[in-house]
Amino acid sequence: MNRKSTRASSPTALAAGALLGLAALPGLAADPATDAELRALIAQQSEQIRQQAVQLEMLNRRLSALEGGGAGSTTAAAPDAAVQAQVAAAVADTRQDDMAILQAQVAQLAAGGGTGGGNTSWRRGGPELRNSDRSFTFHPRGRMLADFSATRGSDYGERNINGSEMRQVRLGAEGSMGPLGYKIDAELADNDVSIKDAYLSWDTRLGALPAEFYVGNKLKDRAIDSATTLTRVPFMERNAVASVGTPDSGYFGLGAQMKLIGQNWHYSLGVTGDDIGNAGAESDSLTFTTRAHWNPIKRSAGFLHLGGWYVYQDHGIDADRINKVPRIASGFNDNVRVSASAIEGVTRENIWGAELGGTWRNFWAFGEYTERDIHSSTEDDVTHTATSAYAGWLITGEKPGFSSRSGVWGTTRVARPVTDGGIGAWELATRYDEYDFTDAARGGEGDAWTLGLNWYLNNWSRLMLNYVHWTTDNNVGAYRGPDSGNSLNVRAQVVF
């Protein structure tokens, strides 16, 4: 009798051990598996357990039949019941493990704010991948600005045009590797591809002050709108100060820049060449750019902004002629421009600007002025000037998206996004721009009044409506003499 029990219980014990081992597999495999894979694995293993239970039952019955006698049947019944109990316990343990894993995943999602267990965030409209302590990040970037423009009222029929364009389409990426960062954007416009932002950055400290260093192609820190990406300024186009105060090398510069940031101020310095694209046959122009701002009053409800900047550019031999003709109606209408008249033999230029303004609760207002002195080896020096004054009101109560830290426009944080069933953020803004090139013998002048309405659907998309009343008085070109008109511009914008 003892021998029978030993022989019968030995395969039973081994089988039960195997069953318990199988039951433990879901817990070991759950970590890397997805929920769907986990459930499929558990169902598969449950079916295997059931089949093995049937095989064990058949094995016990066969063993009892071989050993014979009623006692054998009685002996087999006991281990069969024990096996069934072990199978039931294993299945129950598996289900409990499944529930525990799912509960842990729900808790992890809740702790990460619904951002994919802390590894992915969608708060900026696109996925940002990161490790657990966020020291490594990767964020695919993109933007699309689709515009429509219509102009009427000009004495010149060629200026009264309408149409649509993709003002900007960009794709790129940015991320960080500890204190090191990177950013690259490629722009698709006018059936051509160009590189805009393309730089490495390093966040560190100089003494007690936070410091940022950049190497590569980046916006120069010059004037408020000029130092701000186009998708953040409150109007569809940058203001007159940003346009007139631009050195011949443009908004971007390939070189090195640094920024120091205090509690209520910042200072920047940059040394750059031309924008990306020098063919390598001639020297770049050399540009030095510096800017600072100070907040003498800074409260939770708002702040006062004082700022100033200076640019010196030594021209390369390929940049000995300047012909400034900025658009003032829209980015689409290429015919509504103010002509500054061409200047030959340019050697260098000095540009400076001043900024005054601030925010208070859901209001903002700023004024800027710039002078650009252009030096020539063949003509008298010429000065270009521009003035911009602009103000806005966020009707729905949000704070203006202006950064007191860096003195540039940032993201408007929408309190009730349309994507969450809210009304978005609504902003009413107005601006006056004046262009004065009359210091030159045949320089023109012009001004523009802009009324804007912005609807921020969420933090990364908005619809814009700009009505512009403009006047020009050019002395050269196809559209000479006093002229005026009205332009209606509409934009749909998505940035992630």
Side-chain angles (χ1 to χ4, degrees), residues 14 16 18 29 44 93 102 140 147 246 264 293 322 324 334 439 484:
L14 291 174
Q44 180 183 3
D93 288 343
L102 293 177
D147 289 3
T246 304
N264 60 348
H293 96 276
I322 291 178
K324 191 75 174 180
D334 201 46
D439 189 53
S484 63

Side-chain angles (χ1 to χ4, degrees), residues 149-163 329-330 332-336 468 470 479 483-488:
S149 177
T151 298
R152 296 292 183 270
S154 172
D155 293 336
Y156 297 95
E158 295 86 350
R159 284 183 159 183
N160 296 320
I161 62 175
N162 54 266
S330 71
F332 168 78
N333 196 326
D334 201 46
N335 299 327
V336 183
V468 184
W470 51 266
Y479 311 107
D483 189 31
S484 63
N486 304 288
S487 297
L488 183 67

Side-chain angles (χ1 to χ4, degrees), residues 346-400:
V346 175
T347 58
R348 70 184 190 279
E349 54 185 299
N350 305 79
I351 315 170
W352 67 271
E355 311 162 6
L356 172 64
T359 70
W360 179 255
R361 294 178 179 168
N362 54 330
F363 296 90
W364 55 265
F366 293 92
E368 297 184 78
Y369 176 80
T370 186
E371 286 190 5
R372 181 186 186 190
D373 298 318
I374 303 172
H375 303 272
S376 168
S377 61
T378 60
E379 303 180 22
D380 292 336
D381 296 348
V382 173
T383 298
H384 296 165
T385 67
T387 303
S388 297
Y390 45 112
W393 170 39
L394 281 149
I395 305 169
T396 44
E398 283 82 357
K399 287 186 176 182

Side-chain angles (χ1 to χ4, degrees), residues 184-207:
I184 182 168
D185 279 338
E187 181 171 306
L188 293 78
D190 299 325
N191 294 320
D192 194 13
V193 178
S194 59
I195 301 297
K196 295 302 181 181
D197 282 315
Y199 60 80
L200 299 174
S201 64
W202 179 37
D203 292 345
T204 184
R205 301 186 76 86
L206 291 181

